Amino acid sequence: WGTDPASRKTAPVEVSGLSDVMAIAGGKYHSMALKNDGTVLTWGRNDYGQLGDGKTASSPLPVKVSELTNVTAIARGWYHSMALKNDGTVRAWGSNDNGQLGDGKTASSPLPVKVSGLTNVTAVSGGLLYTIALKSDGTLWAWGSNSNGQLGDGTGSDKLVPTKVSGLDNAVTVANGWYHSVALKNDGTVWTWGSNINGQLGDVEISHRTVPGMVSGLTGITAIAAGKYHTVALKNDGTVWTWGYNEYGQLGDGTKGNNRSAPAQVPGITGVTAISAGGYHTIALKSDSTVRTWGNNWYGQLGNGGTVDNTTPAEIPGIADIKAIAGGYYHTVAIKKDGTVLAWGSNYYGQLGDGTIFDKK
């Protein structure tokens, strides 16, 4: 289905009816937006209830998440969604087969449920079938699937409620890939755990790790992002560093197929202020409010009007005044400075939010 032109938009389109947006997130086939008034809107695939509107029908237009107010941050898993409230508690909705909603159950929910026993949260992030939250004391707490040790608690057992990530404190942010997790500490170092089958942990010696370990030779980091099997870091000098899977050029070093287990600087790009990663592509926001993308482009997720992969960063033509970026699996979302939202890439389930949808079923 993905090769049909009707299933994708190769250049940015405006998400319908959205304004005053302060944060965005992209799931596997759905998207999320947080408005300035603390409400959350979602669009795209909804078969697990990941849109949070109490239904399971996909929507090509933004719908309001039910019974949810006073939200300060949002995050996506691949088939579930999360929101952080201003009281430091977390709500989650969507798929829950592995306990990724954190309510002690395994039943999916089309409405937000409260994550059990979790308070003083300052950030939240979602992976394929699991979730991690950062508390104000710098500790990390994880729940859901643990098949590759991605919960970081030293075991391989799923957890239905939050469990503490072992041996890690002073964390300031967290990011999740499919089966690997990444944390940034306040000293500018990066720590990883979970699957390392493609070198995404930044350690050549292991296949996976069930507790956090530091990525060697990487300091001065201010932001992190994780794709399906690759990892991205932003340094305080505005340079971008990548490692892991590189089948489609998502590491940005001009090559394809050369997986790399050690971080290396992405050539030809500086002045970056924010980073994000999709399934197999990478996105960077520059200080001049323009956007660079590289990696897989089957569905137009690089936003350059074509569908050819790009192994080095290239500017998305025709857009400016961008203030935030987010990568979905095969799509990309961006907020403009005026609070409106743009999206491009795969639109099979309406995840671009422009009112169109492509579904052969």
Side-chain angles (χ1 to χ4, degrees):
W1 55 266
T3 58
D4 191 312
S7 71
R8 63 196 180 206
K9 302 287 177 69
T10 62
V13 295
E14 185 169 339
V15 177
S16 298
L18 269 188
S19 59
D20 300 319
V21 173
M22 59 181 288
I24 48 174
K28 186 170 186 183
Y29 299 119
H30 75 291
S31 305
M32 306 174 65
L34 170 62
K35 296 193 67 171
N36 291 326
D37 64 2
T39 60
V40 178
L41 291 104
T42 55
W43 58 98
R45 186 173 180 173
N46 196 31
D47 51 343
Y48 295 97
Q50 58 264 51
L51 298 190
D53 64 346
K55 305 172 184 178
T56 54
S58 298
S59 176
L61 292 170
V63 295
K64 189 174 182 179
V65 176
S66 302
E67 304 169 8
L68 191 64
T69 57
N70 300 316
V71 174
T72 59
I74 53 175
R76 89 301 179 262
W78 295 112
Y79 298 112
H80 68 294
S81 307
M82 294 78 68
L84 171 62
K85 295 195 66 168
N86 61 3
D87 62 0
T89 61
V90 177
R91 302 296 187 273
W93 58 97
S95 175
N96 197 31
D97 289 351
N98 295 84
Q100 57 264 45
L101 300 189
D103 63 347
K105 305 173 184 178
T106 55
S108 298
S109 176
L111 293 171
V113 297
K114 188 176 183 179
V115 175
S116 300
L118 199 61
T119 58
N120 300 315
V121 175
T122 60
V124 64
S125 181
L128 174 61
L129 300 169
Y130 72 108
T131 312
I132 299 183
L134 169 66
K135 294 189 68 170
S136 57
D137 63 0
T139 60
L140 292 172
W141 296 73
W143 59 96
S145 173
N146 200 23
S147 57
N148 289 270
Q150 60 265 44
L151 300 189
D153 67 343
T155 78
S157 304
D158 293 357
K159 301 295 188 299
L160 303 186
V161 295
T163 183
K164 189 176 182 182
V165 174
S166 301
L168 188 68
D169 54 14
N170 298 317
V172 294
T173 193
V174 62
N176 302 9
W178 261 41
Y179 300 111
H180 77 290
S181 305
V182 190
L184 173 62
K185 291 188 65 169
N186 62 2
D187 62 0
T189 59
V190 175
W191 297 66
T192 57
W193 60 99
S195 173
N196 194 41
I197 194 67
N198 294 289
Q200 60 265 49
L201 299 190
D203 188 335
V204 71
E205 300 294 334
I206 55 174
S207 62
H208 72 284
R209 184 161 56 210
T210 61
V211 295
M214 188 175 76
V215 178
S216 299
L218 200 60
T219 59
I221 302 303
T222 59
I224 51 174
K228 185 175 180 179
Y229 301 128
H230 74 289
T231 310
V232 189
L234 173 63
K235 291 194 74 167
N236 53 16
D237 62 1
T239 60
V240 179
W241 297 66
T242 57
W243 61 98
Y245 192 55
N246 195 38
E247 183 68 22
Y248 306 102
Q250 59 264 52
L251 299 189
D253 63 358
T255 71
K256 271 188 179 185
N258 299 312
N259 296 350
R260 191 175 62 236
S261 60
Q265 183 179 342
V266 177
I269 185 169
T270 57
V272 174
T273 58
I275 53 173
S276 188
Y280 302 108
H281 70 292
T282 309
I283 312 112
L285 174 63
K286 293 196 63 171
S287 57
D288 64 1
S289 301
T290 61
V291 178
R292 304 296 188 273
T293 55
W294 60 96
N296 181 253
N297 199 31
W298 289 348
Y299 307 94
Q301 60 264 48
L302 300 189
N304 59 15
T307 55
V308 177
D309 296 347
N310 195 352
T311 62
T312 58
E315 182 176 353
I316 297 179
I319 65 169
D321 298 322
I322 302 299
K323 69 175 183 179
I325 52 174
Y329 191 51
Y330 290 126
H331 72 290
T332 308
V333 190
I335 310 175
K336 296 192 70 176
K337 289 181 179 179
D338 64 3
T340 60
V341 177
L342 301 175
W344 56 94
S346 173
N347 197 40
Y348 190 63
Y349 295 98
Q351 60 263 48
L352 301 189
D354 69 340
T356 65
I357 193 168
F358 179 84
D359 193 338
K360 284 186 176 178
K361 293 184 295 183

